[in-house]
Amino acid sequence: QKYVALDCEMVGIGAGGKQSALARVSMTDWNHTVLLDTFVQVPDRVTDFRTHVSGVRAADIKAKNDDAMELHACRLKVGQMLQKKILVGHALKNDLSALMLDHPRDDIRDTAKYRPFMRPSGRGGGKMRPRKLRDLVKQHLDLDIQVAGEAHCSIDDAQATMKLYRFVKDEWDR
């Protein structure tokens, strides 16, 4: 299968938790099967777990947690899994940055940057802005994800971006 969806969850490090650090990585395939779902050990002191959004708790990413991958090992694994694949996701720049990985631009399908999914803004509506994944999925697929008051699930988000891409694939790749 040549398509892989990726979603990551971040926690905050540094003063006020403003800097993002990778805390969870989920990857699914064309059929929404989970290929990888792992918490990631954060080598720095976490100052904001962002649990209300990320769903990540301190215990999930502790070095003592055998279920949490070491950051370098996670980067290597994800990098290998992405080789020769079409990468699907939403605002992938953030996920790839957290993973410290690149991917060939022609092999990226970012639902945040797909023009028909964007909304006009600015004076005269000349500037296009990305929309929230939750809103796109509700509008085009009538599915509810990232429900208010619930933490995000990176598996759900990866599967949702793949469903969105599949919905418009023929037009997108024309």
Side-chain angles (χ1 to χ4, degrees):
Q1 195 55 291
K2 71 176 190 173
Y3 294 91
V4 175
L6 170 73
D7 189 68
C8 299
E9 296 298 340
M10 317 294 176
V11 291
I13 58 173
K18 298 268 187 271
Q19 191 178 342
S20 291
L22 185 66
R24 183 178 178 185
V25 178
S26 300
M27 296 174 72
T28 63
D29 68 11
W30 179 261
N31 298 310
H32 319 302
T33 303
V34 176
L35 302 174
L36 175 70
D37 181 43
T38 185
F39 287 103
V40 180
Q41 296 169 9
V42 178
D44 302 288
R45 189 173 151 268
V46 177
T47 51
D48 184 359
F49 282 91
R50 304 174 185 169
T51 304
H52 64 288
V53 177
S54 71
V56 177
R57 302 169 323 238
D60 296 327
I61 58 176
K62 277 201 163 70
K64 295 176 194 140
N65 181 353
D66 292 335
D67 294 331
M69 284 184 88
E70 186 273 324
L71 178 61
H72 182 70
C74 182
R75 286 184 56 224
L76 283 175
K77 182 169 184 105
V78 172
Q80 289 168 345
M81 292 174 74
L82 290 179
Q83 284 186 354
K84 295 186 171 74
K85 302 288 185 190
I86 305 285
L87 174 58
V88 178
H90 191 79
L92 283 166
K93 180 181 176 192
N94 301 324
D95 295 338
L96 290 171
S97 174
L99 285 158
M100 296 177 270
L101 293 173
D102 310 322
H103 201 68
R105 204 167 91 197
D106 289 348
D107 292 342
I108 290 178
R109 304 295 183 271
D110 190 333
T111 56
K113 291 188 167 190
Y114 181 54
R115 207 164 167 83
F117 284 163
M118 298 174 89
R119 63 177 167 80
S121 72
R123 209 172 291 154
K127 186 167 171 136
M128 299 301 283
R129 304 209 61 77
R131 294 177 54 208
K132 292 180 186 297
L133 177 62
R134 175 190 65 220
D135 297 342
L136 291 171
V137 168
K138 184 64 179 171
Q139 178 185 339
H140 296 284
L141 306 173
D142 199 30
L143 296 173
D144 293 309
I145 61 166
Q146 301 177 355
V147 177
E150 293 179 19
H152 295 193
C153 172
S154 48
I155 294 172
D156 291 348
D157 290 358
Q159 290 171 333
T161 57
M162 185 63 82
K163 287 174 185 171
L164 260 182
Y165 172 67
R166 288 176 62 161
F167 182 70
V168 296
K169 179 188 181 302
D170 292 340
E171 296 88 50
W172 192 321
D173 292 331
R174 197 174 292 156

